[in-house]
Amino acid sequence: MPIIYALANQKGGVGKTTTAVNLGAYLASLGQRVLLIDIDPQANATSSLGVDKRTVEISTYDLLVRGAPLADVTQLTRQLRLDLVPSAPALAGATVELVNMPQREYRLRQALEALDQRHDYVLIDCPPSLGLLTVNGLTAAADGVIIPVQCEYLALEGLSQLGRAIDLVRRALHPDLQLRGLVMTMYDVRTTLSRQVVEEVQSHFPGRVFKTIIPRSVRLSEAPSYGEPISSYAPSSAGALAYEMLAQELLQEDRKSQPPT
Ligand SMILES: Nc1ncnc2c1ncn2[C@@H]1O[C@H](COP(=O)(O)OP(=O)(O)OP(=O)(O)O)[C@@H](O)[C@H]1O
Ligand SMILES: [Mg+2]
């Protein structure tokens, strides 16, 4: 079975999508076959990979609400070894439609039972909320949640709310849910604040913060408008090198904890 991670943080704009897309792209360029699942109605991961959300005919909406098979919803992208389950604006209504459905918290997990040996990694890009879509992302995250944290003032406050939500999901829905790690994003070398935030988060989550820190990089924010991950848009930029290192760090740790069978 592939390794399944959700990228979640109810705080908006912290780098969930940027991390999902670029970590995914570098895992793919390191030889892993990656499936990126966009469960955010904003569909930013979808458009970041060059897929126009307005022309998406079958999306995570169909997967979650209509029970469409995973294979029917999966698209190839321009990137080798990186497949996508695109989102579409219709997903915005899904939260309302899901409310009265059986197993509403497990729709994604059930859809992913169809995963086979074709993928090594599945990354789920969650929306900025703790609603049903994110809950579906968390219950499907068999191998844990990756939390991008923006290096800014009050980062920890949002994290305690997220921590409580994860505890709740663990208690009620997915007892094995693990915190895979926190990724510090948008680090600004020129400010002491960035450094302080990293130290603070490290001291609250000892051993849980990825060693690789993602710097603030204009190239990273430009890449989505070209529909390309940073690995093809600006492969020698600081942001690209950081996401490549993050992919290597993750892969090395995962190999250690999951010896080949
Ligand atoms: N390291 C970075 N350097 C510069 N800009 C970045 C970086 N990471 C993300 N950004 C930019 O910051 C904005 C928010 O990033 P992103 O969309 O990845 O966050 P998000 O958590 O997915 O947001 P949302 O909560 O809306 O889904 C985007 O415009 C993105 O291009
Ligand atoms: Mg996003």
Side-chain angles (χ1 to χ4, degrees):
M1 275 298 279
I3 294 178
I4 309 175
Y5 294 130
L7 286 108
N9 190 335
Q10 82 285 4
K11 202 153 189 265
V14 295
K16 293 180 287 295
T17 301
T18 305
T19 301
V21 166
N22 295 307
L23 177 62
Y26 276 111
L27 284 170
S29 71
L30 292 168
Q32 304 297 300
R33 291 152 311 165
V34 179
L35 176 63
L36 182 63
I37 303 183
D38 189 350
I39 59 165
D40 183 352
Q42 298 178 97
N44 292 336
T46 301
S47 42
S48 298
L49 286 173
V51 174
D52 184 347
K53 64 182 174 192
R54 291 164 307 185
T55 60
V56 165
E57 278 171 13
I58 175 163
S59 70
T60 21
Y61 172 82
D62 301 278
L63 190 74
L64 298 179
V65 178
R66 291 201 311 106
L70 183 65
D72 292 2
V73 184
T74 304
Q75 296 194 2
L76 304 180
T77 68
R78 290 187 227 154
Q79 310 296 319
L80 200 63
R81 293 172 183 270
L82 180 58
D83 297 336
L84 172 72
V85 174
S87 174
L91 190 60
T95 328
V96 179
E97 286 176 79
L98 283 173
V99 167
N100 293 314
M101 287 194 167
Q103 302 280 305
R104 59 185 182 185
E105 295 95 351
Y106 298 107
R107 306 285 295 184
L108 183 59
R109 182 199 264 203
Q110 284 167 345
L112 296 192
E113 281 168 11
L115 281 168
D116 54 26
Q117 301 300 332
R118 262 181 310 161
H119 294 105
D120 302 301
Y121 276 94
V122 176
L123 301 177
I124 304 165
D125 185 28
C126 294
S129 85
L130 293 171
L132 254 185
L133 289 169
T134 295
V135 168
N136 266 272
L138 293 176
T139 57
D143 299 279
V145 53
I146 295 177
I147 302 177
V149 181
Q150 187 178 346
C151 295
E152 54 150 28
Y153 186 57
L154 296 182
L156 271 177
E157 283 198 8
L159 284 181
S160 57
Q161 195 190 358
L162 182 57
R164 283 194 295 277
I166 289 175
D167 281 344
L168 215 63
V169 170
R170 229 181 241 142
R171 243 175 292 148
L173 302 166
H174 179 9
D176 303 328
L177 179 60
Q178 295 173 46
L179 170 57
R180 179 61 184 81
L182 298 102
V183 186
M184 304 305 300
T185 66
M186 298 184 233
Y187 185 91
D188 188 342
V189 282
R190 292 164 307 178
T191 66
T192 47
L193 177 67
S194 269
R195 205 173 55 237
Q196 283 166 354
V197 173
V198 171
E199 284 167 6
E200 216 175 20
V201 173
Q202 281 169 340
S203 75
H204 273 76
F205 297 90
R208 292 310 183 92
V209 182
F210 285 101
K211 289 188 196 75
T212 307
I213 293 176
I214 310 301
R216 187 172 278 285
S217 148
V218 177
R219 292 281 180 264
L220 281 172
S221 57
E222 290 169 350
S225 59
Y226 294 87
E228 284 184 45
I230 197 70
S231 52
S232 54
Y233 174 67
S236 52
S237 63
L241 300 179
Y243 274 112
E244 185 172 20
M245 277 179 64
L246 182 66
Q248 283 166 347
E249 183 180 350
L250 185 83
L251 202 55
Q252 264 171 21
E253 287 179 1
D254 286 349
R255 283 196 173 136
K256 259 188 251 159
S257 62
Q258 309 208 338
T261 46

